[in-house]
Amino acid sequence: MQYPNTLRLGDIRPGRNPRKYFDPAKMAEMIESVRTQGVIQPVLVRPLEDGSHELVAGGRRVRAAREAHGDDYAMPVVVREMDEFEARSLALIENIQRDDMAPSEEAVAAAEIVGMCQGDRDEAARQLGWTRAMLDSRLALMNCSASVLEALNTRTIKLGHAELFAAFTKEQQDKLLPVIVKEGHTVADLKNVLERASCSLAAAIFDKADCAGCQHNSAAQAEMFGESIGTGNCTNRNCYNEKTEKQLDATATGLRDEFQTVRIVRPGDNHTRIQLVAEGTKGVGEEQAKACYACQNFGAAVSGLPDSLGKVYKGQCFDTVCNMKKVAARIKSEKTEPVAAKAASAGGSSKAKDATKADKSAAASPAPEATVVAESDRVKTYRVALWRKALRREVSQDAALARRYLLAVVATGQARSIDAGPVNTVWERLIDDKPAVGDFGKAATSAAALDADAEGKMMISITLSAIQGVDVSYLMQMCRHHKLDLAKHWKLDKEFLELITKSEMKVVADELGLRSAMGDAFKKVFAKSKPEVIDALLSVDGFDYAGKVPKVLKF
C-alpha cells in the first residue's frame, strides 16, 4: 500500500507522548526554526482502521508546527503499520533516548516498558540501553507524589531530593516539599530527615512487640521541619527494613497456595499488573476471564509501596500486554455485533456501573476459581519428564522397536540429540573396555565382537539417550506415534500436587473423580492448609488412583 509523504497537521491524532514538561526556551527556538525553515525531519505516524492517522513519535515537532503554521500545514510524515502495543513501545523508547527528557518523565516511560517486559527489569534495562542501577533509580521516582514530580519537572528541586522523597509516604512528601523549597534545604538535609524519621512504627506491618523497649524507638527530632514528620519512629533503618521485608515475604508465601503467581510490587512496578475484570471498559469478556483465571500469569500482588505497605491485591493479571490485546479483541468483537443483539445483551448502563463497582472492590473479593490447571514452567518440566520416563520404560523392553525408533530419529535429523555419555557407559559394561574416542577402527572391531543380544542392548541404550535428548515438540510426536498410555506409568502423587494451587487441585479432583468420592468432606478439606489438602487427596478411602491422568499432563 502506498502511503502519503505529508498529512494535514490537523488530521494527525495525538499519540501517547510521555513528555509532560517542555522547556520554554528550547520550545521557542524550535517554533522559530519551524516558522522559517519548516519541519525537516518527518514525524512517525500509524494508520488507524477508520482511515485517520495517529502520532507515534515527533510530539515536539507537531507542537512547533501547529504554533508556527496552524492545522493546515502539510506535515512531513513516515507512515508505518503497527499495532497499539508496538506504537506505545516505540514512542516510549524514542522519547526516553533523548537527552533532554526530565528524570520524572523517564521514570514514567521506563515503568511502562517494564510492564511490557512482564516485570523483567533486566530486559527493560537492555531495551533502554541503561544499567540496571540506572533503571532502578528512575523507577523509584514512581513513588513520588504529583507535587514532587512537578517540582522536579520544573527544576524547582534536584533529582537527589526526589530520590529521597520517594522513600516517604505521599502525605509526608506533600508536607515536606514546601519546607524544602521555601527554606532551600539541601539533599543532605533531606537525607538526614529520612534517616531519622521515615521508619514510622505506627505504619509498620511487622510485629512490634520487641520495639517497645528498643533504644532505637524514639520520637523524631523535627525542629527543622516542624510538624511535617510525626513521632514514634524507628531510627535503626536497617532493622526496620529487614523486618518489613520478612513480613512482606511471609504475606506472599501465604498466598502462593492460592495463586499461580504472587509478586511483591515495588516503586516502578505500576504497569506490571492490572486487575482482571470481565466487563466494563477494561473487561476481557466473560469467557476469556474464565480462561485467564487458569493462566500462569494470574495471581496476587503484595504492596511494597510506602502508602499501601503490605496490602494484598487479588485477581491480578501480570501480563499487561496480553490483557490489553484481550480487551481490544473484546471491544472489536462487540463493535461487529448487530445493534439489536447488543441492545438485548448489554443490559443498559447498570451493567457498566456493576462492572465499575466490581473493579473497585476487586482487591477485597475472593479469588476466582481456576477452570483448568495452568501450564506453569514447573508443571511443564514435570510433564515432559513424565513423558520421557514413560516412553523410555516401554522402549527399553523391545530391542526391535528401539532399533526402528533409532533409525527414524537419525533419518529425521535428530541424531544430535543422542548423548554419548550414557551410551558409553553401556558400551564399557558390555565390552569390558572403555570406548576408543577418535579411534574408529578399534571401535568397529569391538562392535563386531558383540553378539546379537549385546547389540540389541546397545541399540536400546542409544535410543533411550535419544528420547532423553530430543526437543519437546519432537518428543510429543514420538509419544503420539507410540500411542503412549500415561495411565500405565503415573498416578496422583505429592510431587505433582505441590506444583499447583489449591484452586487448581479442585480442577484435578473433578477430572479424576475425587470430589465425588470425598462427598461432603471435600469442602471441609479445602478449608485447610495446602499440605493438609494434599494429604487428604492422596488418602481417600476406597478410591482407585490407578489409570487416571489429568488433562494438563497429557500430550
Side-chain angles (χ1 to χ4, degrees):
M1 181 176 179
Q2 189 68 32
Y3 291 118
N5 294 321
T6 63
L7 288 171
R8 179 180 175 273
L9 184 57
D11 292 336
I12 300 176
R13 293 187 183 181
R16 301 171 187 79
N17 196 332
R19 291 174 182 264
K20 304 301 178 187
Y21 174 77
F22 296 87
D23 184 276
K26 291 184 178 180
M27 200 67 222
E29 290 176 4
M30 176 173 278
I31 292 170
E32 188 57 33
S33 173
V34 170
R35 194 189 310 278
T36 57
Q37 300 185 35
V39 175
I40 298 173
Q41 182 181 2
V43 299
L44 179 63
V45 300
R46 70 177 181 121
L48 302 178
E49 291 183 357
D50 62 3
S52 62
H53 293 80
E54 180 184 74
L55 182 67
V56 176
R60 295 176 76 244
R61 278 164 279 164
V62 166
R63 280 172 173 255
R66 180 171 286 112
E67 179 71 22
H69 300 293
D71 284 344
D72 290 330
Y73 179 70
M75 190 73 181
V77 297
V78 172
V79 183
R80 185 187 301 176
E81 293 272 0
M82 64 185 82
D83 61 24
E84 187 176 355
F85 167 70
E86 292 171 317
R88 178 183 289 182
S89 179
L90 195 152
L92 292 170
I93 296 292
E94 193 270 347
N95 273 279
I96 208 167
Q97 289 178 346
R98 295 181 180 271
D99 60 7
D100 59 343
M101 197 173 186
S104 54
E105 294 170 338
E106 288 180 335
V108 173
E112 285 202 43
I113 292 169
V114 170
M116 293 176 184
C117 295
Q118 290 186 256
D120 187 339
R121 294 196 176 194
D122 290 327
E123 174 59 21
R126 187 191 68 78
Q127 289 192 22
L128 291 166
W130 289 358
T131 64
R132 175 60 190 273
M134 168 72 170
L135 176 66
D136 289 342
S137 176
R138 286 295 183 269
L139 291 177
L141 297 178
M142 293 299 291
N143 193 57
C144 290
S145 69
S147 60
V148 169
L149 289 179
E150 178 63 20
L152 179 60
N153 284 347
T154 57
R155 282 55 171 180
T156 305
I157 60 173
K158 296 180 179 180
L159 175 59
H161 285 116
E163 289 175 335
L164 291 171
F165 269 123
F168 293 90
T169 66
K170 290 183 173 62
E171 182 182 0
Q172 289 174 325
Q173 292 178 47
D174 290 339
K175 287 181 178 180
L176 276 170
L177 179 62
V179 181
I180 293 290
V181 174
K182 181 179 179 180
E183 300 183 10
H185 289 296
T186 65
V187 173
D189 289 339
L190 184 58
K191 184 177 181 181
N192 184 46
V193 175
L194 174 64
E195 290 174 346
R196 290 186 292 117
S198 66
C199 301
S200 168
L201 289 173
I205 60 173
F206 51 81
D207 185 352
K208 299 182 285 289
D210 295 337
C211 300
C214 178
Q215 61 178 329
H216 298 291
N217 180 1
S218 62
Q221 300 300 315
E223 65 278 359
M224 184 183 293
F225 299 97
E227 297 301 320
S228 298
I229 298 296
T231 59
N233 299 291
C234 171
T235 58
N236 186 340
R237 187 171 181 79
N238 289 336
C239 178
Y240 187 96
N241 288 344
E242 183 180 337
K243 288 183 176 181
T244 298
E245 287 302 316
K246 285 183 178 179
Q247 183 57 49
L248 290 174
D249 287 338
T251 302
T253 299
L255 292 164
R256 291 196 172 98
D257 290 346
E258 190 177 358
F259 292 98
Q260 296 90 294
T261 297
V262 179
R263 291 185 189 170
I264 300 172
V265 292
R266 312 286 185 179
D269 288 335
N270 308 57
H271 302 286
T272 60
R273 63 187 178 93
I274 189 169
Q275 185 69 46
L276 178 67
V277 292
E279 299 178 357
T281 57
K282 297 182 180 180
V284 298
E286 289 287 354
E287 291 304 312
Q288 181 57 51
K290 292 178 182 178
C292 291
Y293 297 152
C295 175
Q296 62 178 319
N297 293 309
F298 176 78
V302 180
S303 176
L305 305 173
D307 285 282
S308 54
L309 197 62
K311 188 174 181 180
V312 174
Y313 298 87
K314 297 183 178 181
Q316 303 290 293
C317 169
F318 289 98
D319 189 341
T320 57
V321 174
C322 177
N323 184 276
M324 180 174 67
K325 291 179 178 179
K326 299 298 184 188
V327 173
R330 191 265 305 164
I331 293 173
K332 185 176 181 180
S333 175
E334 288 180 354
K335 286 181 178 178
T336 59
E337 292 178 1
V339 176
K342 287 178 67 178
S345 61
S349 61
S350 61
K351 197 170 187 179
K353 290 179 181 178
D354 289 343
T356 302
K357 291 178 181 178
D359 194 3
K360 289 181 179 178
S361 62
S365 62
E369 294 292 340
T371 53
V372 297
V373 176
E375 294 192 354
S376 65
D377 291 340
R378 296 191 303 168
V379 168
K380 288 179 181 178
T381 299
Y382 178 93
R383 178 174 66 190
V384 171
L386 170 62
W387 295 347
R388 295 191 196 278
K389 181 179 179 180
L391 185 59
R392 280 163 55 91
R393 184 178 294 170
E394 296 202 358
V395 171
S396 67
Q397 305 301 315
D398 190 335
L401 177 64
R403 186 178 290 107
R404 290 200 305 273
Y405 282 5
L406 180 59
L407 289 173
V409 166
V410 174
T412 51
Q414 297 294 316
R416 66 182 184 280
S417 64
I418 300 172
D419 182 1
V423 176
N424 289 343
T425 299
V426 176
W427 176 285
E428 186 175 348
R429 187 172 67 248
L430 293 174
I431 298 178
D432 198 25
D433 188 18
K434 291 184 178 181
V437 179
D439 190 339
F440 176 81
K442 183 179 179 181
T445 302
S446 298
L450 293 171
D451 58 27
D453 181 62
E455 184 177 306
K457 291 179 179 178
M458 279 303 305
M459 291 300 102
I460 289 174
S461 71
I462 297 172
T463 306
L464 296 185
S465 179
I467 292 172
Q468 191 63 28
V470 293
D471 294 338
V472 175
S473 59
Y474 194 88
L475 175 66
M476 290 176 69
Q477 290 185 48
M478 296 183 74
C479 291
R480 287 167 180 165
H481 172 81
H482 186 79
K483 295 182 173 58
L484 180 65
D485 185 1
L486 292 174
K488 296 179 180 178
H489 304 274
W490 185 88
K491 69 176 183 178
L492 191 63
D493 61 12
K494 182 178 181 180
E495 181 183 0
F496 171 70
L497 290 175
E498 286 179 338
L499 301 178
I500 62 179
T501 65
K502 287 170 62 177
S503 181
E504 292 170 314
M505 288 182 200
K506 293 180 182 179
V507 176
V508 172
D510 283 332
E511 289 182 13
L512 304 189
L514 279 164
R515 185 191 289 264
S516 298
M518 295 173 73
D520 295 338
F522 185 81
K523 186 175 181 179
K524 295 179 181 178
V525 164
F526 273 86
K528 300 179 180 179
S529 67
K530 183 175 179 178
E532 290 174 310
V533 173
I534 292 175
D535 289 342
L537 290 178
L538 294 176
S539 57
V540 178
D541 290 339
F543 183 76
D544 184 6
Y545 290 89
K548 299 176 178 66
V549 181
K551 294 176 184 177
V552 74
L553 296 183
K554 297 180 180 179
F555 43 83

